[in-house]
Amino acid sequence: MSVASAQHDGVSPAASGAGGLTARVGFAIVVFGLIALTLLSLRQQRLQALHELSAVRLRQSTHDRELWELRAALSSVLTPEQVGVLPSGGGAALGPTGLGSGLGAMPGEGER
């Protein structure tokens, strides 16, 4: 729309482009808002993952502490001579379970 035709219609040239400018500014605000919401969502997901990780570490340290307390209680009750004998009195001695015997070996090698 030319200046002459805009003045002829009773509309100023500045007002004729105002609708397009308002739409562009509105669109930019919506786009920036969506970008901000996406970044906020990613930040919240990272915080949630860190919270879960710290909860797991706290649970692990609690279990480790309980394990060491049980080991200390067990070692205060038993002597080294009592460790190898079953409490049932059957005379059967405790031995290795075989769990640690295959360390470093290929599967099936310990069965020969």
XYZ file of all heavy atoms in Angstrom:
796
model
N 0.849 -1.160 0.000
C 0.000 0.000 0.000
C 0.897 1.225 0.000
O 1.748 1.349 0.856
C -0.896 -0.075 1.238
C -1.833 1.082 1.395
S -2.808 0.919 2.877
C -4.255 0.174 2.246
N 0.709 2.076 -0.924
C 1.556 3.260 -1.029
C 1.084 4.325 -0.045
O -0.019 4.264 0.481
C 1.545 3.796 -2.450
O 0.277 4.361 -2.722
N 1.951 5.319 0.154
C 1.638 6.398 1.087
C 0.431 7.177 0.604
O -0.459 7.542 1.368
C 2.873 7.315 1.284
C 2.532 8.498 2.151
C 4.024 6.527 1.845
N 0.365 7.401 -0.678
C -0.746 8.177 -1.235
C -2.065 7.446 -1.057
O -3.067 8.033 -0.677
C -0.493 8.476 -2.706
N -2.080 6.136 -1.311
C -3.328 5.400 -1.171
C -3.704 5.232 0.296
O -4.874 5.200 0.645
C -3.240 4.053 -1.861
O -2.267 3.244 -1.219
N -2.705 5.125 1.170
C -3.010 5.011 2.590
C -3.601 6.300 3.115
O -4.546 6.295 3.897
C -1.750 4.650 3.379
N -3.088 7.449 2.646
C -3.634 8.738 3.085
C -5.001 8.958 2.454
O -5.872 9.580 3.043
C -2.671 9.866 2.735
C -1.431 9.856 3.594
C -0.427 10.929 3.169
O -0.586 11.554 2.116
N 0.585 11.132 3.982
N -5.190 8.446 1.279
C -6.469 8.594 0.591
C -7.567 7.809 1.319
O -8.711 8.225 1.360
C -6.325 8.121 -0.863
C -7.590 8.214 -1.643
N -8.175 9.431 -1.953
C -8.403 7.255 -2.166
C -9.287 9.196 -2.629
N -9.434 7.878 -2.783
N -7.195 6.656 1.867
C -8.173 5.834 2.583
C -8.427 6.345 3.993
O -9.281 5.825 4.692
C -7.699 4.377 2.671
C -7.632 3.723 1.302
O -8.323 4.196 0.378
O -6.876 2.735 1.176
N -7.656 7.308 4.466
C -7.834 7.824 5.807
C -7.012 7.083 6.846
O -7.209 7.244 8.030
N -6.081 6.240 6.401
C -5.231 5.481 7.316
C -3.817 5.996 7.163
O -3.334 6.152 6.050
C -5.292 3.969 6.985
C -4.384 3.185 7.894
C -6.710 3.475 7.041
N -3.139 6.250 8.273
C -1.758 6.728 8.190
C -0.834 5.578 7.812
O -1.147 4.421 8.081
C -1.328 7.345 9.520
O -1.208 6.341 10.493
N 0.308 5.847 7.198
C 1.230 4.776 6.802
C 1.761 4.001 8.005
O 1.995 2.798 7.928
C 2.370 5.491 6.098
C 1.869 6.847 5.774
C 0.749 7.134 6.700
N 1.948 4.648 9.163
C 2.470 3.956 10.333
C 1.445 2.971 10.875
O 1.787 1.894 11.343
C 2.854 4.972 11.407
N 0.178 3.318 10.812
C -0.867 2.453 11.346
C -1.132 1.260 10.445
O -1.621 0.237 10.894
C -2.148 3.255 11.548
N -0.817 1.379 9.158
C -1.097 0.272 8.251
C -0.203 -0.942 8.522
O -0.613 -2.061 8.295
C -0.942 0.730 6.798
O 0.413 1.072 6.552
N 1.021 -0.761 9.043
C 1.919 -1.878 9.327
C 1.884 -2.309 10.779
O 2.591 -3.211 11.187
N 1.090 -1.663 11.611
C 1.069 -1.962 13.041
C 0.519 -3.346 13.331
O 0.940 -4.001 14.265
C 0.265 -0.898 13.786
N -0.423 -3.817 12.523
C -0.988 -5.151 12.749
C 0.044 -6.239 12.543
O 0.115 -7.209 13.285
N 0.876 -6.084 11.528
C 1.926 -7.066 11.265
C 3.003 -7.041 12.328
O 3.524 -8.080 12.727
N 3.331 -5.857 12.813
C 4.347 -5.725 13.854
C 3.861 -6.334 15.166
O 4.609 -7.030 15.854
C 4.724 -4.256 14.051
C 5.814 -3.978 15.081
C 7.122 -4.632 14.624
C 6.004 -2.486 15.268
N 2.618 -6.122 15.501
C 2.042 -6.690 16.724
C 2.053 -8.216 16.652
O 2.362 -8.899 17.637
C 0.607 -6.172 16.930
O 0.615 -4.752 16.941
C 0.021 -6.685 18.211
N 1.725 -8.756 15.508
C 1.736 -10.216 15.336
C 3.149 -10.767 15.474
O 3.359 -11.819 16.098
C 1.154 -10.586 13.983
N 4.119 -10.056 14.907
C 5.514 -10.509 15.003
C 6.009 -10.484 16.445
O 6.667 -11.412 16.902
C 6.421 -9.640 14.139
C 6.250 -9.880 12.673
C 7.185 -9.000 11.874
N 6.903 -9.123 10.456
C 7.332 -8.281 9.557
N 8.062 -7.242 9.920
N 7.040 -8.463 8.294
N 5.686 -9.412 17.157
C 6.109 -9.299 18.554
C 5.415 -10.382 19.390
O 6.034 -11.033 20.234
C 5.813 -7.888 19.110
C 6.000 -7.831 20.615
C 6.696 -6.857 18.433
N 4.152 -10.597 19.136
C 3.419 -11.660 19.851
C 4.002 -13.028 19.566
O 4.158 -13.849 20.474
N 4.316 -13.262 18.314
C 4.919 -14.545 17.940
C 6.276 -14.720 18.616
O 6.593 -15.805 19.115
C 5.063 -14.622 16.414
C 5.671 -15.904 15.934
C 4.939 -17.080 15.951
C 6.981 -15.935 15.458
C 5.493 -18.266 15.509
C 7.547 -17.118 15.018
C 6.798 -18.288 15.040
N 7.085 -13.659 18.658
C 8.400 -13.731 19.304
C 8.248 -14.012 20.798
O 9.003 -14.812 21.366
C 9.174 -12.434 19.081
N 7.262 -13.388 21.428
C 7.028 -13.629 22.860
C 6.631 -15.083 23.101
O 7.118 -15.731 24.031
C 5.956 -12.654 23.393
C 6.526 -11.238 23.446
C 5.460 -13.083 24.767
C 5.515 -10.170 23.783
N 5.775 -15.620 22.256
C 5.349 -17.016 22.398
C 6.540 -17.959 22.188
O 6.734 -18.913 22.945
C 4.201 -17.342 21.414
C 3.937 -18.834 21.350
C 2.942 -16.599 21.821
N 7.355 -17.691 21.173
C 8.523 -18.547 20.903
C 9.505 -18.498 22.072
O 9.987 -19.541 22.534
C 9.205 -18.129 19.579
C 10.569 -18.773 19.434
C 8.322 -18.492 18.406
N 9.798 -17.295 22.573
C 10.717 -17.189 23.706
C 10.138 -17.848 24.953
O 10.865 -18.453 25.748
C 11.072 -15.723 23.988
C 11.996 -15.119 22.975
C 11.751 -13.857 22.459
C 13.112 -15.808 22.516
C 12.597 -13.294 21.520
C 13.964 -15.260 21.576
C 13.710 -13.999 21.071
N 8.842 -17.761 25.127
C 8.194 -18.439 26.257
C 8.327 -19.945 26.158
O 8.599 -20.624 27.147
N 8.145 -20.500 24.958
C 8.298 -21.946 24.761
C 9.738 -22.393 24.988
O 9.986 -23.454 25.578
C 7.827 -22.343 23.364
C 6.319 -22.264 23.129
C 5.999 -22.553 21.657
C 5.590 -23.230 24.032
N 10.685 -21.587 24.529
C 12.098 -21.915 24.759
C 12.398 -21.897 26.253
O 13.072 -22.791 26.781
C 13.010 -20.940 23.982
C 12.903 -21.189 22.479
C 14.456 -21.064 24.449
C 13.605 -20.151 21.627
N 11.884 -20.899 26.959
C 12.115 -20.805 28.408
C 11.495 -21.993 29.136
O 12.108 -22.559 30.053
C 11.546 -19.494 28.937
N 10.299 -22.401 28.734
C 9.659 -23.559 29.364
C 10.435 -24.842 29.101
O 10.555 -25.699 29.978
C 8.218 -23.696 28.868
C 7.227 -22.678 29.413
C 5.864 -22.860 28.759
C 7.111 -22.799 30.917
N 10.980 -24.981 27.908
C 11.785 -26.163 27.588
C 13.045 -26.206 28.443
O 13.402 -27.258 28.993
C 12.156 -26.156 26.088
O 10.961 -26.118 25.315
C 12.965 -27.376 25.724
N 13.717 -25.068 28.568
C 14.920 -25.019 29.398
C 14.599 -25.284 30.861
O 15.350 -25.971 31.573
C 15.616 -23.670 29.239
C 16.258 -23.404 27.881
C 16.774 -21.976 27.814
C 17.370 -24.391 27.613
N 13.477 -24.775 31.334
C 13.061 -25.016 32.708
C 12.765 -26.493 32.941
O 13.115 -27.059 33.984
C 11.812 -24.180 33.007
C 11.653 -23.662 34.417
C 12.742 -22.619 34.687
C 10.287 -23.049 34.595
N 12.150 -27.126 31.944
C 11.847 -28.555 32.046
C 13.129 -29.382 32.100
O 13.245 -30.315 32.902
C 11.000 -28.981 30.852
O 10.829 -30.367 30.830
N 14.105 -29.045 31.263
C 15.381 -29.765 31.280
C 16.098 -29.585 32.617
O 16.665 -30.534 33.167
C 16.276 -29.284 30.138
C 15.832 -29.672 28.740
C 16.711 -28.990 27.696
C 15.880 -31.171 28.575
N 16.051 -28.372 33.152
C 16.671 -28.100 34.454
C 15.994 -28.924 35.546
O 16.656 -29.497 36.411
C 16.571 -26.615 34.770
C 17.171 -26.235 36.097
C 17.071 -24.718 36.301
N 17.593 -24.350 37.588
C 16.842 -24.110 38.657
N 15.543 -24.211 38.574
N 17.395 -23.769 39.796
N 14.678 -29.010 35.520
C 13.947 -29.786 36.519
C 14.287 -31.272 36.412
O 14.423 -31.957 37.429
C 12.443 -29.572 36.349
C 11.596 -30.287 37.375
C 11.855 -29.797 38.774
O 12.164 -28.639 38.996
N 11.750 -30.685 39.738
N 14.444 -31.778 35.203
C 14.809 -33.184 35.021
C 16.196 -33.462 35.584
O 16.432 -34.502 36.204
C 14.757 -33.562 33.547
C 13.354 -33.660 32.994
C 13.332 -33.903 31.500
O 14.356 -33.936 30.837
N 12.138 -34.065 30.949
N 17.145 -32.529 35.377
C 18.482 -32.701 35.942
C 18.444 -32.682 37.453
O 19.110 -33.488 38.114
C 19.415 -31.607 35.420
C 19.915 -31.818 34.032
C 21.122 -30.947 33.691
N 21.082 -29.623 34.252
C 20.763 -28.514 33.590
N 20.469 -28.587 32.317
N 20.761 -27.345 34.186
N 17.674 -31.772 38.027
C 17.561 -31.712 39.487
C 16.946 -32.990 40.040
O 17.373 -33.501 41.087
C 16.720 -30.502 39.905
C 17.400 -29.151 39.806
C 16.408 -28.035 40.089
C 18.570 -29.066 40.765
N 15.934 -33.528 39.368
C 15.303 -34.765 39.806
C 16.290 -35.928 39.743
O 16.347 -36.758 40.656
C 14.076 -35.065 38.936
C 13.316 -36.303 39.336
C 12.617 -36.149 40.666
O 12.272 -35.040 41.067
N 12.419 -37.239 41.362
N 17.085 -35.994 38.688
C 18.078 -37.067 38.566
C 19.136 -36.954 39.673
O 19.534 -37.966 40.256
C 18.744 -37.011 37.200
N 19.576 -35.734 39.970
C 20.547 -35.552 41.054
C 19.955 -35.932 42.404
O 20.637 -36.515 43.252
C 21.050 -34.106 41.087
C 22.000 -33.708 39.970
C 22.312 -32.215 40.031
C 23.288 -34.502 40.074
N 18.688 -35.609 42.615
C 18.025 -35.975 43.866
C 17.956 -37.496 44.018
O 18.234 -38.037 45.094
C 16.625 -35.374 43.912
C 15.820 -35.822 45.077
N 16.078 -35.395 46.355
C 14.781 -36.675 45.170
C 15.226 -35.964 47.182
N 14.427 -36.755 46.486
N 17.584 -38.182 42.952
C 17.510 -39.646 43.001
C 18.892 -40.251 43.229
O 19.032 -41.220 43.986
C 16.886 -40.179 41.717
C 15.419 -39.852 41.582
C 14.843 -40.239 40.236
O 15.568 -40.846 39.415
O 13.658 -39.933 40.010
N 19.911 -39.686 42.598
C 21.270 -40.187 42.783
C 21.734 -40.008 44.223
O 22.328 -40.910 44.810
C 22.227 -39.470 41.829
C 23.681 -39.908 41.864
C 23.816 -41.356 41.433
C 24.517 -39.015 40.971
N 21.439 -38.855 44.815
C 21.849 -38.633 46.206
C 21.071 -39.544 47.152
O 21.618 -40.005 48.157
C 21.662 -37.170 46.595
O 20.301 -36.819 46.612
N 19.808 -39.838 46.838
C 19.031 -40.764 47.661
C 19.626 -42.173 47.599
O 19.709 -42.872 48.620
C 17.575 -40.773 47.216
N 20.059 -42.582 46.426
C 20.678 -43.911 46.273
C 21.988 -43.967 47.050
O 22.275 -44.951 47.741
C 20.899 -44.232 44.776
C 21.820 -45.422 44.598
C 19.569 -44.479 44.103
N 22.792 -42.900 46.964
C 24.064 -42.880 47.702
C 23.830 -42.897 49.208
O 24.574 -43.537 49.946
C 24.881 -41.657 47.306
C 25.475 -41.772 45.939
C 26.326 -40.579 45.593
N 26.930 -40.726 44.288
C 27.610 -39.789 43.693
N 27.786 -38.621 44.281
N 28.130 -39.994 42.507
N 22.809 -42.198 49.672
C 22.481 -42.206 51.097
C 22.054 -43.597 51.539
O 22.482 -44.083 52.594
C 21.377 -41.192 51.391
C 20.911 -41.090 52.834
C 22.060 -40.613 53.727
C 19.725 -40.143 52.941
N 21.217 -44.255 50.740
C 20.799 -45.617 51.056
C 21.997 -46.561 51.075
O 22.109 -47.429 51.943
C 19.779 -46.072 50.009
C 18.565 -46.685 50.594
C 17.489 -47.121 49.625
N 17.857 -47.317 48.240
C 17.387 -46.587 47.236
N 16.559 -45.604 47.453
N 17.748 -46.849 45.995
N 22.912 -46.389 50.127
C 24.094 -47.244 50.073
C 24.972 -47.037 51.305
O 25.460 -47.996 51.886
C 24.896 -46.955 48.803
C 26.130 -47.821 48.672
C 26.961 -47.470 47.454
O 26.682 -46.491 46.767
N 27.969 -48.260 47.179
N 25.178 -45.799 51.701
C 26.016 -45.557 52.879
C 25.342 -46.090 54.144
O 26.023 -46.583 55.047
C 26.343 -44.068 53.019
O 25.175 -43.333 53.334
N 24.014 -46.025 54.210
C 23.294 -46.600 55.353
C 23.479 -48.114 55.391
O 23.733 -48.688 56.457
C 21.801 -46.253 55.273
O 21.659 -44.841 55.217
C 21.043 -46.786 56.464
N 23.385 -48.758 54.244
C 23.587 -50.209 54.186
C 25.027 -50.579 54.538
O 25.252 -51.577 55.229
C 23.228 -50.730 52.798
C 21.759 -50.737 52.530
N 21.184 -51.487 51.548
C 20.722 -50.069 53.104
C 19.881 -51.283 51.523
N 19.587 -50.423 52.459
N 25.987 -49.794 54.059
C 27.388 -50.057 54.400
C 27.611 -49.943 55.903
O 28.309 -50.764 56.504
C 28.317 -49.086 53.665
C 28.470 -49.431 52.194
O 28.118 -50.571 51.814
O 28.944 -48.564 51.444
N 27.020 -48.924 56.518
C 27.162 -48.728 57.959
C 26.546 -49.909 58.725
O 27.147 -50.429 59.671
C 26.482 -47.427 58.388
C 26.801 -47.024 59.799
C 26.192 -45.670 60.183
N 26.387 -44.653 59.161
C 25.399 -44.076 58.481
N 24.146 -44.398 58.698
N 25.652 -43.156 57.564
N 25.360 -50.354 58.300
C 24.717 -51.508 58.946
C 25.569 -52.764 58.772
O 25.688 -53.574 59.699
C 23.329 -51.735 58.366
C 22.324 -50.682 58.761
C 20.983 -50.873 58.065
O 20.821 -51.846 57.296
O 20.100 -50.028 58.297
N 26.159 -52.931 57.595
C 27.017 -54.093 57.345
C 28.217 -54.096 58.272
O 28.556 -55.130 58.864
C 27.466 -54.103 55.882
C 28.411 -55.233 55.471
C 27.730 -56.577 55.608
C 28.888 -55.009 54.047
N 28.874 -52.939 58.435
C 30.034 -52.883 59.316
C 29.639 -53.083 60.765
O 30.390 -53.693 61.535
C 30.781 -51.557 59.140
C 31.620 -51.575 57.905
C 31.410 -50.912 56.755
C 32.805 -52.352 57.700
N 32.383 -51.213 55.842
C 33.261 -52.097 56.396
C 33.521 -53.247 58.491
C 34.393 -52.694 55.868
C 34.649 -53.845 57.965
C 35.086 -53.565 56.660
N 28.466 -52.620 61.175
C 27.997 -52.864 62.538
C 27.750 -54.347 62.766
O 28.093 -54.895 63.823
C 26.737 -52.050 62.838
C 26.989 -50.563 62.971
C 25.706 -49.748 63.075
O 24.603 -50.343 63.032
O 25.815 -48.514 63.186
N 27.152 -55.025 61.784
C 26.924 -56.467 61.906
C 28.243 -57.238 61.930
O 28.396 -58.199 62.695
C 26.041 -56.959 60.762
C 24.580 -56.534 60.819
C 23.864 -56.928 59.530
C 23.890 -57.143 62.021
N 29.189 -56.833 61.110
C 30.500 -57.485 61.113
C 31.205 -57.293 62.450
O 31.839 -58.219 62.972
C 31.377 -56.936 59.992
C 30.993 -57.428 58.630
C 31.890 -56.827 57.567
N 31.574 -57.357 56.247
C 32.099 -56.935 55.135
N 32.995 -55.960 55.153
N 31.763 -57.465 53.986
N 31.107 -56.088 63.005
C 31.738 -55.824 64.299
C 31.077 -56.640 65.398
O 31.759 -57.201 66.265
C 31.650 -54.338 64.626
N 29.752 -56.747 65.374
C 29.053 -57.554 66.374
C 29.413 -59.022 66.232
O 29.625 -59.719 67.232
C 27.542 -57.355 66.240
N 29.510 -59.482 64.999
C 29.869 -60.882 64.763
C 31.298 -61.163 65.203
O 31.572 -62.187 65.843
C 29.699 -61.213 63.281
C 29.878 -62.660 62.871
C 28.839 -63.539 63.544
C 29.775 -62.797 61.372
N 32.204 -60.272 64.911
C 33.598 -60.509 65.289
C 33.799 -60.397 66.793
O 34.732 -60.989 67.339
C 34.524 -59.532 64.564
O 34.283 -58.212 65.013
N 32.963 -59.664 67.501
C 33.104 -59.592 68.957
C 32.588 -60.857 69.631
O 32.982 -61.170 70.747
C 32.359 -58.364 69.505
O 30.970 -58.536 69.358
N 31.726 -61.620 68.955
C 31.160 -62.836 69.530
C 31.987 -64.069 69.172
O 32.171 -64.966 69.994
C 29.700 -63.016 69.050
C 29.133 -64.336 69.499
C 28.834 -61.872 69.532
N 32.515 -64.125 67.959
C 33.217 -65.317 67.479
C 34.727 -65.176 67.614
O 35.287 -64.091 67.494
C 32.890 -65.564 66.006
C 31.458 -65.955 65.677
C 31.305 -66.091 64.172
C 31.084 -67.251 66.353
N 35.348 -66.309 67.861
C 36.810 -66.371 67.827
C 37.202 -67.053 66.518
O 36.372 -67.721 65.892
C 37.351 -67.192 69.018
O 36.858 -68.532 68.915
C 36.919 -66.578 70.339
N 38.441 -66.925 66.104
C 38.855 -67.576 64.850
C 38.665 -69.091 64.872
O 38.402 -69.695 63.836
C 40.336 -67.216 64.732
C 40.476 -65.942 65.484
C 39.486 -66.028 66.599
N 38.753 -69.718 66.008
C 38.563 -71.175 66.084
C 37.108 -71.564 65.840
O 36.824 -72.658 65.361
C 39.015 -71.709 67.448
C 40.494 -71.580 67.716
C 40.882 -70.187 68.204
O 40.032 -69.481 68.786
O 42.033 -69.781 67.955
N 36.193 -70.687 66.193
C 34.767 -70.992 66.045
C 34.261 -70.755 64.630
O 33.188 -71.227 64.282
C 33.942 -70.110 66.994
C 34.171 -70.401 68.450
C 33.463 -69.375 69.323
O 33.380 -68.218 68.953
N 32.983 -69.817 70.481
N 34.988 -70.070 63.825
C 34.514 -69.704 62.495
C 34.347 -70.929 61.609
O 33.396 -71.036 60.850
C 35.468 -68.680 61.832
C 35.108 -68.446 60.379
C 35.443 -67.381 62.601
N 35.215 -71.916 61.687
C 35.174 -73.055 60.790
C 34.205 -74.145 61.186
O 34.005 -75.089 60.441
N 33.547 -74.066 62.334
C 32.677 -75.144 62.809
C 31.219 -74.686 62.751
O 30.886 -73.571 63.153
C 33.047 -75.517 64.268
C 32.163 -76.637 64.767
C 34.501 -75.892 64.362
N 30.353 -75.592 62.253
C 28.931 -75.275 62.219
C 28.347 -75.330 63.628
O 28.698 -76.197 64.411
C 28.175 -76.262 61.328
C 28.391 -76.116 59.834
C 27.696 -77.247 59.094
C 27.855 -74.787 59.353
N 27.435 -74.455 63.972
C 26.855 -74.456 65.311
C 25.920 -75.633 65.573
O 25.552 -75.891 66.692
C 26.083 -73.137 65.382
C 25.868 -72.718 63.984
C 26.972 -73.329 63.191
N 25.542 -76.404 64.550
C 24.621 -77.522 64.745
C 25.281 -78.673 65.488
O 24.603 -79.564 65.973
C 24.097 -78.007 63.392
O 25.167 -78.531 62.620
N 26.575 -78.683 65.603
C 27.272 -79.744 66.319
C 27.478 -80.981 65.468
O 27.926 -82.004 65.966
N 27.152 -80.939 64.212
C 27.290 -82.087 63.333
C 28.734 -82.361 62.966
O 29.060 -83.385 62.393
N 29.613 -81.464 63.297
C 31.025 -81.667 63.016
C 31.413 -81.309 61.593
O 32.568 -81.450 61.226
N 30.488 -80.877 60.772
C 30.824 -80.502 59.401
C 31.537 -79.154 59.431
O 31.123 -78.234 60.106
C 29.565 -80.410 58.547
N 32.619 -79.082 58.730
C 33.395 -77.841 58.701
C 32.938 -76.959 57.553
O 32.525 -77.448 56.504
C 34.877 -78.167 58.560
N 33.033 -75.689 57.788
C 32.726 -74.745 56.722
C 33.901 -74.656 55.767
O 35.050 -74.751 56.177
C 32.444 -73.349 57.308
C 31.192 -73.196 58.151
C 31.123 -71.790 58.714
C 29.955 -73.481 57.336
N 33.599 -74.466 54.513
C 34.655 -74.329 53.531
C 34.294 -73.259 52.526
O 33.251 -72.612 52.624
N 35.139 -73.063 51.538
C 34.848 -72.062 50.513
C 33.579 -72.423 49.750
O 33.289 -73.600 49.528
C 36.057 -72.095 49.591
C 37.076 -72.915 50.275
C 36.412 -73.706 51.343
N 32.838 -71.418 49.368
C 31.590 -71.656 48.635
C 31.828 -71.841 47.147
O 30.940 -72.240 46.421
C 30.633 -70.466 48.823
O 31.264 -69.299 48.337
C 30.250 -70.301 50.275
N 33.014 -71.523 46.683
C 33.303 -71.653 45.267
C 32.998 -70.390 44.488
O 33.247 -70.331 43.293
N 32.473 -69.384 45.162
C 32.143 -68.148 44.458
C 33.392 -67.401 44.032
O 33.435 -66.830 42.966
C 31.283 -67.248 45.350
C 29.898 -67.782 45.680
C 29.193 -66.837 46.631
C 29.086 -67.971 44.422
N 34.412 -67.414 44.854
C 35.621 -66.672 44.536
C 36.655 -67.490 43.789
O 37.668 -66.971 43.353
N 36.423 -68.790 43.614
C 37.437 -69.634 42.986
C 37.574 -69.393 41.490
O 38.605 -69.667 40.912
C 37.117 -71.108 43.235
O 35.884 -71.436 42.616
N 36.540 -68.891 40.846
C 36.592 -68.720 39.403
C 36.918 -67.305 38.972
O 36.670 -66.956 37.834
N 37.444 -66.501 39.850
C 37.755 -65.125 39.480
C 38.849 -65.101 38.427
O 39.888 -65.722 38.579
C 38.193 -64.314 40.697
C 37.112 -64.044 41.733
C 37.701 -63.274 42.903
C 35.957 -63.278 41.137
N 38.596 -64.429 37.363
C 39.575 -64.302 36.291
C 39.557 -65.453 35.323
O 40.224 -65.410 34.306
N 38.835 -66.505 35.617
C 38.791 -67.663 34.723
C 37.645 -67.483 33.727
O 36.657 -66.815 34.002
C 38.581 -68.937 35.524
N 37.795 -68.124 32.600
C 36.752 -68.090 31.596
C 35.612 -69.005 32.054
O 35.848 -69.978 32.767
C 37.290 -68.581 30.247
C 38.365 -67.694 29.650
S 37.770 -66.052 29.248
C 36.716 -66.426 27.886
N 34.377 -68.714 31.655
C 33.274 -69.588 32.037
C 33.500 -71.010 31.543
O 33.873 -71.235 30.403
C 32.054 -68.961 31.316
C 32.454 -67.547 31.068
C 33.945 -67.553 30.915
N 33.293 -71.952 32.434
C 33.479 -73.361 32.087
C 34.861 -73.899 32.387
O 35.077 -75.093 32.376
N 35.870 -73.042 32.674
C 37.219 -73.527 32.950
C 37.337 -74.149 34.322
O 38.110 -75.054 34.537
C 38.235 -72.373 32.834
C 38.582 -72.014 31.413
C 39.679 -70.971 31.354
O 40.364 -70.753 32.366
O 39.855 -70.378 30.292
N 36.556 -73.652 35.301
C 36.651 -74.173 36.663
C 35.977 -75.520 36.819
O 36.083 -76.155 37.847
N 35.299 -76.016 35.796
C 34.561 -77.278 35.900
C 35.359 -78.469 35.426
O 34.854 -79.557 35.340
C 33.260 -77.154 35.087
C 32.366 -76.038 35.578
C 31.221 -75.763 34.604
O 31.143 -76.440 33.565
O 30.410 -74.893 34.886
N 36.603 -78.348 35.066
C 37.405 -79.464 34.517
C 37.830 -80.413 35.570
O 38.088 -80.243 36.653
C 38.644 -78.921 33.798
C 38.267 -78.207 32.540
C 39.512 -77.756 31.853
N 39.128 -76.824 30.803
C 39.994 -76.157 30.097
N 41.278 -76.299 30.297
N 39.595 -75.360 29.172
